[in-house]
């Protein structure tokens, strides 16, 4: 039986209180050239909810360093992909299936 002190310590992850910790995978699209759509993926730790995770990913995506890497192209929060990364008490991770809707902002 696991006790609280046996749970893996994962800094920056939100704890659901059920022995499951949550990170977020945010896919941010942008146009690399005039026709090609590319998605950048950001793992966000410590966000309390979807809105906070999206905000953190957008701040990273539009940081000076990221914009320079993309040739100055900004990104917007349109058509983003949001998934939860669930980390259970045993340390196993799973990616929430696309389309189940539980992590998508309403």
């Amino acid at each position: 039986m696991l006790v609280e002190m046996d749970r893996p310590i994962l800094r920056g992850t939100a704890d659901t209180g059920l022995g499951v910790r949550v990170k977020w995978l945010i896919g941010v699209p942008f146009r690399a050239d005039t026709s090609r759509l590319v998605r950048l993926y950001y793992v966000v730790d410590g966000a309390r909810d979807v809105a906070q995770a999206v905000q953190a990913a957008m701040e990273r995506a539009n940081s000076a360093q990221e914009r320079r890497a993309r040739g100055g192209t900004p990104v917007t929060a349109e058509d983003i992909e949001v998934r939860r990364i669930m980390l259970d008490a045993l340390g196993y991770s799973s990616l929430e299936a696309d389309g189940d809707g539980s992590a998508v902002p309403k």
Side-chain angles (χ1 to χ4, degrees), residues 29-39:
F30 82 101
R31 295 239 174 244
D33 54 38
T34 57
S35 63
R36 201 172 108 201
L37 183 69
V38 175
R39 276 193 193 272

Side-chain angles (χ1 to χ4, degrees), residues 9-96:
I9 303 300
L10 303 168
R11 294 178 192 257
T13 58
D15 191 340
T16 63
L18 301 173
V20 177
R21 294 174 185 240
V22 177
K23 293 183 180 185
W24 301 90
L25 179 67
I26 310 294
V28 180
F30 82 101
R31 295 239 174 244
D33 54 38
T34 57
S35 63
R36 201 172 108 201
L37 183 69
V38 175
R39 276 193 193 272
L40 303 172
Y41 287 90
Y42 297 89
V43 174
V44 177
D45 295 346
R48 290 185 305 272
D49 56 23
V50 174
Q52 191 177 44
V54 169
Q55 180 181 358
M58 293 306 298
E59 287 173 4
R60 282 191 223 162
N62 282 312
S63 70
Q65 181 179 3
E66 291 283 312
R67 287 182 72 161
R68 274 194 305 275
R70 291 191 309 270
T73 307
V75 294
T76 60
E78 294 178 25
D79 195 31
I80 58 173
E81 178 182 353
V82 178
R83 295 190 188 197
R84 284 188 292 200
I85 302 171
M86 308 297 286
L87 304 163
D88 70 17
L90 297 177
Y92 294 105
S93 62
S94 61
L95 184 62
E96 183 175 67

